[in-house]
Amino acid sequence: MSDQAAVGKVTSQTAQKGVLAKLIIFSLSLGIVPIALYFVTEKYVWDGNSSYAAITAVFAANVVLFAYIIVSLLDDREMMQSAEEKKLQFSNRRKVE
Amino acid sequence: MSTCPPYAPFFGFAGVASSMIFSTVGAAYGTSKAGIGIAGLGSFKPELIMRSLIPVVMSGIIAVYGLVVSVLISGGVKANDYTLAAGFIHLGAGLACGMTGVSAGYAIGLVGDSCVRAFVHESRVFVTMVLVLIFAEVLGLYGLIVALIMNTKALETKC
């Protein structure tokens, strides 16, 4: 029972590295990037055509969403690999004992 | 009866407000309902939290749609020389984006809650969850497209 609990702790610790920083970055970018892009592209890229600027802002918001999905998938894949490695090390240590 | 009465900006600004207000109501429902499910999942499997926050991010995007339409419409509402027709058009555009935001946020909340709870037991639910959530979010996108089309009509009106 104790080695199961230790493996659980190892898994939870590997999950927490840098997760908070990533979440803060994504929250801020979801709030700031679309509306900033709206104003910037309306002035400099589309010559005052606000519909195209709105479409650009929506596109940017969806890009942030897909980036978040991809980052969360990669994060979980690398976390599961490192958790399995640590489980292997742990069970090898138990065998030696 | 002039085409530019002084009470016309009332409808224009009502459109700006309703776009922001209703899409935020939808996003709040989606965030809170999915957040309840994530709190339930987090007590069993904290390593799945990063993936299960996707419904919350999608609810945030619904609010961003409402914000973009509000900013877009408020760029066209003027205090003087503002036709009543443009006021009605802006009101319709704001309501279109806002109420579709309510429906999208409602769908995202319910789907996010149930799928995140099922994710504890079966990890293959993840792909299904993302697909259903994308369909739910596209509802808000349709409202934004209609609001954009309506707004271009309002640019052509003159006193």
Side-chain angles (χ1 to χ4, degrees):
Chain A
M1 188 59 210
S2 66
D3 52 351
Q4 286 172 356
V7 167
K9 260 195 213 167
V10 158
T11 334
S12 70
Q13 276 165 12
T14 44
Q16 281 161 18
K17 279 187 193 148
V19 165
L20 187 61
K22 277 184 201 162
L23 288 175
I24 289 176
I25 290 172
F26 273 105
S27 314
L28 287 175
S29 62
L30 189 61
I32 295 174
V33 165
I35 209 70
L37 262 181
Y38 174 84
F39 286 117
V40 164
T41 54
E42 187 186 18
K43 202 164 184 192
Y44 296 116
V45 177
W46 302 117
D47 289 326
N49 189 339
S50 49
S51 303
Y52 290 169
I55 294 173
T56 312
V58 163
F59 186 68
N62 282 298
V63 162
V64 171
L65 169 71
F66 285 126
Y68 180 79
I69 292 178
I70 290 172
V71 162
S72 71
L73 279 174
L74 288 175
D75 195 52
D76 278 330
R77 198 168 298 166
E78 113 186 7
M79 189 227 56
M80 269 197 284
Q81 278 175 2
S82 73
E84 276 182 30
E85 281 168 25
K86 288 200 175 140
K87 262 192 228 177
L88 269 170
Q89 285 176 7
F90 206 82
S91 60
N92 287 339
R93 231 183 294 155
R94 290 287 295 175
K95 278 186 201 158
V96 168
E97 286 167 21
Chain B
M1 188 86 184
S2 71
T3 51
C4 292
Y7 51 82
F10 169 76
F11 298 104
F13 285 118
V16 173
S18 61
S19 162
M20 195 67 238
I21 291 170
F22 291 122
S23 64
T24 317
V25 166
Y29 186 81
T31 307
S32 55
K33 203 84 167 69
I36 293 172
I38 294 169
L41 168 144
S43 48
F44 294 112
K45 284 198 181 175
E47 62 269 14
L48 296 177
I49 286 181
M50 185 88 175
R51 274 198 278 181
S52 59
L53 279 172
I54 287 175
V56 175
V57 176
M58 287 196 161
S59 300
I61 288 190
I62 297 294
V64 167
Y65 289 167
L67 177 68
V68 165
V69 167
S70 281
V71 170
L72 177 76
I73 296 176
S74 72
V77 178
K78 298 182 294 247
N80 306 311
D81 297 331
Y82 184 62
T83 54
L84 191 58
F88 289 145
I89 294 172
H90 284 146
L91 176 65
L95 280 175
C97 183
M99 301 302 277
T100 53
V102 169
S103 60
Y106 183 73
I108 289 175
L110 290 182
V111 165
D113 186 24
S114 326
C115 281
V116 149
R117 285 183 207 271
F119 195 38
V120 176
H121 306 291
E122 174 63 63
S123 62
R124 284 175 289 182
V125 169
F126 180 72
V127 176
T128 308
M129 175 177 87
V130 171
L131 277 174
V132 177
L133 283 174
I134 286 176
F135 273 105
E137 190 201 314
V138 166
L139 300 175
L141 187 65
Y142 294 157
L144 181 133
I145 290 172
V146 168
L148 283 182
I149 293 173
M150 279 203 245
N151 186 52
T152 56
K153 291 266 181 212
L155 297 173
E156 300 156 358
T157 58
K158 285 195 212 40
C159 262

